[in-house]
Amino acid sequence: MYVFLNDKIVPASEAKISIFDHGFLYGDGVFETMRSYGGVVFKLDEHIQRLFRSARFINLEVGRTPEEIKKALYKTLNANDLTDSYIRVSLSRGYGPIGIDPDLCKENTFTIITTEFKRYPDSFYLEGVDAIISNIRRNPKEALNPLIKSMNFLNNILAKIEAKKKQAFEAIMLNMEGYIAEGTVSNIFFVKDSSLYTPSLECSILDGITRGVVIELAKKRGIGVQEGKYIAEELLKADEIFLTNTSLEMVPVKRVNDTEFKVGEIYKLLHEEYKVEVKTYVNEKKL
Ligand code: PLP
């Protein structure tokens, strides 16, 4: 396996970074996860834009142009002979002495890891996954804004630990005001009376790229979409619930705590549309 480290492709076994890297010492860095289909990275521009935005939020110079990052990414995919892949791009503050002052680091660390995409079990899509409402609240945007896709992921990891203890796949976090925010690695949607609801960007969430695609697809289909503030009781009364992220695409939720849900028609329709959207995108980029 080959990875990209700073400015070149290297065998994964030789890709080493310092234990003084501030990404390791302090979680001081940002990242993106992407997915490629048939050799094309879906919504690549959007992911790269979000990487730059995350970096801007933490005052971190990317030090490369979007074009250079795209080239590096495709180079890594080609080196590994990958078409359907999972991609992780990371950018940390880099090597520096101990101490949190970002100016201690003179050069950032940039890595790209690509691995073969492992499909989730069919049961995820046909039957759904279990979720809990987590006791861990989502970081408020006034503290560590979830719009920053940061390496500082402990908020999400704590909720994931809770989900695992309760044999659930995903933990749905509320924000500090008590409104539904998002999952540990996903955005959440629910359907009530044929309309689609999802927490607004005001709710301390990541503006998921999949979330954006799903909202557009629903609008095109004439399905009403509301972005707002919702409490857990509203979620529990939903007709259907589903989660979105880049690698899962869209997955229905069959249980939240003790309440069961069916895999609904709107989920099925929108996931079919999502797959068509991916195909169209991939075919256009291949031309
Ligand atoms: N919310 C969080 C906290 C995430 O980590 C992710 C993705 O990993 C998402 C939402 C979904 O974002 P996207 O659709 O861009 O993958």
Side-chain angles (χ1 to χ4, degrees):
M1 186 210 264
Y2 292 93
V3 299
F4 197 90
L5 175 59
N6 292 326
D7 54 2
K8 56 178 182 299
I9 299 275
V10 290
S13 56
E14 290 169 26
K16 304 271 197 300
I17 61 172
S18 168
I19 61 165
F20 287 91
D21 194 289
H22 281 213
F24 175 68
L25 288 176
Y26 303 112
D28 187 356
V30 294
F31 73 100
E32 274 297 318
T33 48
M34 310 178 202
R35 182 170 165 184
S36 76
Y37 298 82
V40 175
V41 182
F42 186 55
K43 299 286 176 191
L44 177 56
D45 287 333
E46 286 81 350
H47 281 284
I48 290 185
Q49 263 177 31
R50 191 169 66 183
L51 181 75
F52 274 77
R53 187 192 66 196
S54 294
R56 223 172 22 249
F57 261 116
I58 68 163
N59 231 356
L60 174 61
E61 283 289 332
V62 177
R64 296 147 180 89
T65 64
E67 279 313 310
E68 285 168 337
I69 295 179
K70 283 184 207 172
K71 251 195 204 150
L73 211 158
Y74 276 107
K75 222 173 159 177
T76 318
L77 284 178
N78 288 337
N80 290 293
D81 216 3
L82 286 171
T83 49
D84 293 336
S85 70
Y86 171 88
I87 301 157
R88 158 89 186 218
V89 177
S90 313
L91 182 72
S92 86
R93 191 79 60 185
Y95 167 89
I98 287 174
I100 67 165
D101 182 349
D103 290 337
L104 291 169
C105 304
K106 301 299 169 219
E107 230 173 277
N108 62 32
T109 304
F110 176 74
T111 62
I112 303 174
I113 301 169
T114 58
T115 59
E116 194 185 336
F117 185 77
K118 295 258 185 311
R119 280 175 56 88
Y120 293 93
D122 286 344
S123 64
F124 273 36
Y125 300 96
L126 299 173
E127 292 158 28
V129 296
D130 289 339
I132 56 156
I133 307 263
S134 180
N135 289 313
I136 303 288
R137 295 290 174 105
R138 188 69 175 118
N139 285 325
K141 55 185 185 306
E142 296 80 3
L144 176 56
N145 196 335
L147 283 178
I148 309 167
K149 204 165 160 61
S150 103
M151 285 181 181
N152 213 304
F153 224 58
L154 271 180
N155 180 215
N156 315 47
I157 291 168
L158 288 175
K160 179 72 180 178
I161 289 169
E162 186 188 356
K164 287 193 76 169
K165 278 189 187 153
K166 296 176 176 168
Q167 279 90 44
F169 172 75
E170 182 58 302
I172 300 158
M173 289 179 276
L174 307 180
N175 63 24
M176 292 308 291
E177 293 174 278
Y179 296 111
I180 296 160
E182 61 181 344
T184 61
V185 289
S186 62
N187 291 112
I188 183 159
F189 286 81
F190 65 93
V191 174
K192 185 74 189 166
D193 300 330
S194 305
S195 286
L196 197 54
Y197 297 84
T198 194
S200 75
L201 298 184
E202 288 303 300
C203 291
S204 293
I205 61 168
L206 178 71
D207 55 340
I209 286 161
T210 321
R211 173 185 181 276
V213 173
V214 170
I215 290 174
E216 283 310 306
L217 289 174
K219 285 182 178 166
K220 262 194 218 157
R221 266 276 168 171
I223 298 167
V225 185
Q226 308 282 339
E227 294 177 63
K229 294 181 173 180
Y230 308 105
I231 55 172
E233 284 70 19
E234 284 171 282
L235 182 74
L236 295 176
K237 284 188 200 142
D239 301 326
E240 17 178 318
I241 302 177
F242 60 85
L243 306 169
T244 63
N245 84 14
T246 294
S247 34
L248 281 167
E249 299 181 341
M250 302 167 61
V251 69
V253 174
K254 70 170 161 27
R255 186 172 62 89
V256 178
N257 296 351
D258 295 326
T259 310
E260 294 192 356
F261 298 88
K262 61 180 181 3
V263 180
E265 293 309 314
I266 293 200
Y267 162 75
K268 287 184 205 159
L269 172 80
L270 287 175
H271 196 192
E272 283 313 307
E273 299 265 327
Y274 186 91
K275 290 181 208 165
V276 172
E277 178 76 12
V278 170
K279 253 193 203 137
T280 311
Y281 181 97
V282 169
N283 288 339
E284 273 172 12
K285 294 286 172 189
K286 273 188 173 166
L287 286 180

